[in-house]
C-alpha cells in the first residue's frame, strides 16, 4: 500500500511544469546525475564509450517530452540528428531512442512526421536504428499509427509495447517482424486500459515476450528483474531461439554488475542512456518505479555544495 502511494506521488510530481522548469535551473543535482549521462552530446558519447569498453551496447535518448512550440520540436530534432552524426563519428555501438511528443506530435502530426523523416534519413545514412519510445496512453494509438506510416519507407525504426496494457497481446500480433522493445510500463494508467496488479503485469510481460520471440521477430527485453531474465534465457534455450534474435536492456545507472555479467555470458546487453537538460520527468518516473532510489535524490541534495 505504501509503495503504491509512493509511486503515485512521484508520478504526480513528474507532470509538474513548475518543478520541471526549476529542475532545468538546478542542473543534474538531486541525484539525477547517477541515472542521466550529462546534458550534452559530448557527455553522453563519453559515457557510451565507457560502457562499450565493458562489453555493453547502448541506446541514447535526448530527454524531453510534451513540447508545444514548433521551434522547440525542430530544435529537438536537430539534437537527434547531431547525436546520430556523433555516434557515427565516434564509432560507438549505439542506437537512438526518441519521443514523438518531443518532436511535435501534440502540435501537428505532419510536423512530427517530417521531423521523424529527417531523423530516420540520417540514421539510414549512418547505418543506425531508431526506437520510438512509448509514452502515456493518450499518445499510444498515435504512436502506433506513426510507426505504421514510417515503416512503409524505413526498416530501421521500431517502437515499444507495454505489458500493463490489456491490448498488448493483440497489438503485438499486428507488429510481427518489427523490432520491438518490450517493457512492463512506467506511466500511471486507468484500470480501463491497464492492469493495476503487479503479478498480472509480470505474467502478461512473460506472455508477450514469448509471443514475439516465437514469431521470429527481434525482441528487446527491457527489465531489471533477474527472475524474468533467467526465464527468458531458459525459454530461448528450450525453443532454439538464437541469441542474435534478442537482447536484454537496462537503464543507465541501475544494476551495473548484472549488466556486465549478462554481457560476459555472451548475450547482447543494451544500456538505455538518457541525457539532456529536460531530465526531470524521466527522473521522477524512475523514482516511482523504484522508491528505494529516493536515496539518490537525498545524496545529490546533501552534496550539491
Amino acid at each position: 500500500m505504501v509503495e503504491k502511494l509512493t509511486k503515485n506521488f512521484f508520478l504526480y510530481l513528474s507532470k509538474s511544469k513548475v518543478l520541471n522548469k526549476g529542475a532545468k535551473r538546478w542542473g543534474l543535482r538531486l541525484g539525477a546525475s547517477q541515472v542521466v549521462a550529462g546534458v550534452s552530446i559530448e557527455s553522453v558519447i563519453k559515457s557510451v564509450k565507457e560502457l562499450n569498453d565493458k562489453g555493453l551496447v547502448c541506446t541514447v535518448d535526448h530527454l524531453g517530452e510534451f513540447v508545444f512550440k514548433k521551434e522547440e520540436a525542430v530544435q529537438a530534432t536537430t539534437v537527434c540528428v547531431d547525436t546520430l552524426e556523433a555516434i557515427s563519428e565516434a564509432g560507438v555501438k549505439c542506437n537512438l531512442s526518441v519521443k514523438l511528443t518531443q518532436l511535435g506530435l501534440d502540435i501537428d502530426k505532419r510536423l512530427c512526421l517530417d521531423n521523424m523523416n529527417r531523423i530516420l534519413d540520417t540514421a539510414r545514412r549512418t547505418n543506425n536504428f531508431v526506437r520510438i519510445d512509448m509514452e502515456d496512453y493518450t499518445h499510444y494509438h498515435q504512436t502506433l499509427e506513426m510507426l505504421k506510416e514510417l515503416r512503409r519507407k524505413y526498416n530501421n525504426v521500431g517502437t515499444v509495447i507495454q505489458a500493463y496494457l490489456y491490448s498488448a497481446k493483440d497489438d503485438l500480433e499486428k507488429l510481427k517482424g518489427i523490432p520491438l522493445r518490450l517493457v512492463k510500463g512506467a506511466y500511471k494508467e486507468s484500470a480501463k486500459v491497464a492492469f493495476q496488479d503487479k503479478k498480472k503485469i509480470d505474467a502478461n510481460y512473460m506472455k508477450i515476450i514469448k509471443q514475439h520471440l516465437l514469431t521470429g521477430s527481434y525482441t528487446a527485453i527491457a527489465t531489471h528483474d533477474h527472475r524474468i531474465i533467467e526465464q527468458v534465457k531458459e525459454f530461448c534455450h528450450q525453443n532454439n531461439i538464437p541469441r542474435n534474435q534478442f537482447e536484454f536492456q537496462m537503464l543507465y545507472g541501475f544494476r551495473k554488475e548484472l549488466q556486465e555479467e549478462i554481457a560476459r555470458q555472451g548475450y547482447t546487453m543494451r544500456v538505455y542512456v538518457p541525457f539532456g537538460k529536460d531530465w526531470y520527468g524521466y527522473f521522477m518516473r524512475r523514482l516511482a518505479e523504484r522508491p528505494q532510489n529516493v536515496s539518490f535524490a537525498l545524496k545529490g541534495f546533501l552534496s550539491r555544495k
Side-chain angles (χ1 to χ4, degrees), residues 137 164-168 189-196:
Y137 191 72
Y164 63 8
L165 295 181
Y166 301 141
S167 65
E189 303 294 0
S190 165
K192 294 180 179 179
V193 300
F195 294 108
Q196 306 295 305

Side-chain angles (χ1 to χ4, degrees), residues 59-63 96-99 102 133 272-276:
T59 186
V60 297
D61 177 19
H62 176 236
L63 293 172
L96 177 72
S97 283
V98 299
K99 283 186 171 60
Q102 188 188 29
D133 282 341
Y272 180 95
V273 188
F275 75 103

Side-chain angles (χ1 to χ4, degrees), residues 264-303:
R264 282 194 295 269
Q265 291 172 356
Y267 296 95
T268 300
M269 179 69 241
R270 188 176 301 276
V271 183
Y272 180 95
V273 188
F275 75 103
K277 296 179 181 178
D278 198 5
W279 53 266
Y280 173 77
Y282 172 85
F283 184 48
M284 288 298 108
R285 288 195 295 276
R286 298 295 77 78
L287 293 180
E289 286 176 341
R290 297 170 59 85
Q292 61 267 44
N293 289 324
V294 174
S295 62
F296 281 179
L298 292 176
K299 289 176 182 177
F301 179 75
L302 294 173
S303 64

